[in-house]
Amino acid sequence: MALWKRREPAADGAASRAVFGVGMQVLVRLDRSRYPESMVEDPIGVIVGAGDSDGAALYAPVSGREAIWTVQFDEPFFGLDGSGPHLSARVAQASLEPAPEA
């Protein structure tokens, strides 16, 4: 019996309408294309750094000029490849969505 449940993407398109900024709690959608069987949950964290429009992001490809945010995780995060623990990461905005309310 699995003790984890992968969070489903927001069905109402809330991520595409969200306005991101420092202090916002977010869910980081991991790029599972290379690790489809990974049982690591998508981490939740808080945006702690203002977005840039260039550079590289962790765990997601960046296409074109896209905002990159620094996210500090609620608990140490181990990557899909087993790396970590990571306390924070630079994440492309396309990989973020507002965290579900508790």
Side-chain angles (χ1 to χ4, degrees):
M1 179 172 140
L3 298 176
W4 63 279
K5 180 180 175 193
R6 188 173 293 164
R7 296 178 185 95
E8 296 299 321
D12 62 359
S16 62
R17 294 190 313 267
V19 177
F20 293 94
V22 173
M24 180 178 191
Q25 189 172 29
V26 292
L27 175 68
V28 179
R29 289 280 170 210
L30 301 175
D31 178 8
R32 296 178 185 276
S33 59
R34 293 186 355 196
Y35 304 97
E37 300 300 319
S38 175
M39 297 178 62
V40 173
E41 284 197 28
D42 295 336
I44 293 178
V46 174
I47 294 175
V48 296
D52 296 328
S53 292
D54 58 358
L58 185 64
Y59 298 113
V62 177
S63 58
R65 295 185 61 82
E66 178 176 2
I68 310 271
W69 298 94
T70 300
V71 177
Q72 183 172 349
F73 300 119
D74 289 351
E75 32 186 81
F77 164 70
F78 287 87
L80 297 175
D81 59 357
S83 65
H86 303 285
L87 301 178
S88 65
R90 290 171 37 94
V91 182
Q93 184 167 310
S95 297
L96 299 177
E97 66 181 56
E101 294 185 24

